[in-house]
Amino acid sequence: MADWAKVFHLFAMFESFFGSYYFVYLVDYPKSFGLEEPEFVPLKGRMRYLTYWNMVLQTIYFFIALLNDFIGSNENVPAKVPLIRKVKDYIFSSLAFPAAMYVGVTFWGLMAIDRELVFPKVLDEFFPTWLNHLMHTNIMIFIFLEMFLTYRPYPKRKRGILGMTLFLVTYLIWMHVIYFYSGLWVYPILQVLNWPLRIVFYLVSLVFGIAFYMLGEFSNNKLWSKQISQSKRSGRKKTN
């Protein structure tokens, strides 16, 4: 299992990094399309997208997971949990899993309703289909595979949800910084909503984030119930 984990983590890290690189440096939209990209936003304006933030997050997570394979521990209940393992487990539960699910589900959900609100058809000529799936489909597949591959105890719910909420709120603030300086909304759907509806949209987005966190916790608890019981027993013995 250890060798398979290393191979998987290396591949997942490389794919996320490659997708991020390709999106920034090899995807160009003709200016004639009217797709303005704020000049002050780093990396050709691509840092305005939550999809890009998530790809960077997945790259970081799988890099840390790979480090843990070599210098940490993948034991279900190690005698002493290495710091790298604690970091890996927290990032997975509070950030990597809910962010991947949020990006994938909301993207394909909005695409099904009206793709012009999130990914206009005019982009198909310059944005490869394989890259679209790499950034919006594979992320969900890979993060679920990771859940099946290695066990991790979830943090206390308040701590986990706090990390996820801070991530989403930071991104929402960033979107408004971009709008303040450029007058451009990152996503077309925000252009057609008035302020009360935008606030509702943000609140629903946060609820979605919490829901995906809970999905991860529920799935992990069902999948690794024996290991969780063993971990609790071990914790009680140490306390005694």
Side-chain angles (χ1 to χ4, degrees), residues 16 33 40 64 67 73 81 84 90 111 114-115 157 173-174 213:
S16 298
F33 280 16
F40 75 93
I64 292 173
L67 280 181
S73 171
V81 183
I84 189 72
Y90 183 78
M111 282 279 284
D114 183 356
R115 68 168 298 175
R157 190 170 294 169
I173 293 172
W174 175 234
Y213 176 88

Side-chain angles (χ1 to χ4, degrees), residues 4-16 62 66 69:
W4 279 110
K6 292 174 184 176
V7 172
F8 173 70
H9 291 150
L10 178 63
F11 181 79
M13 180 190 70
F14 174 79
E15 189 200 54
S16 298
F62 283 113
L66 186 63
D69 292 336

Side-chain angles (χ1 to χ4, degrees), residues 2-28:
D3 289 338
W4 279 110
K6 292 174 184 176
V7 172
F8 173 70
H9 291 150
L10 178 63
F11 181 79
M13 180 190 70
F14 174 79
E15 189 200 54
S16 298
F17 174 79
F18 177 75
S20 304
Y21 178 88
Y22 194 101
F23 179 53
V24 171
Y25 296 105
L26 299 177
V27 173
D28 287 307

Side-chain angles (χ1 to χ4, degrees), residues 32-49:
S32 60
F33 280 16
L35 297 171
E36 300 177 75
E37 297 192 325
E39 293 183 359
F40 75 93
V41 179
L43 300 175
K44 295 172 63 175
R46 306 300 159 83
M47 276 193 69
R48 61 180 171 152
Y49 296 110

Side-chain angles (χ1 to χ4, degrees), residues 119-136:
F119 192 80
K121 190 175 179 60
V122 71
L123 299 181
D124 288 348
E125 184 179 350
F126 305 94
F127 199 98
T129 300
W130 63 262
L131 182 61
N132 196 2
H133 283 292
L134 188 152
M135 300 182 77
H136 299 109

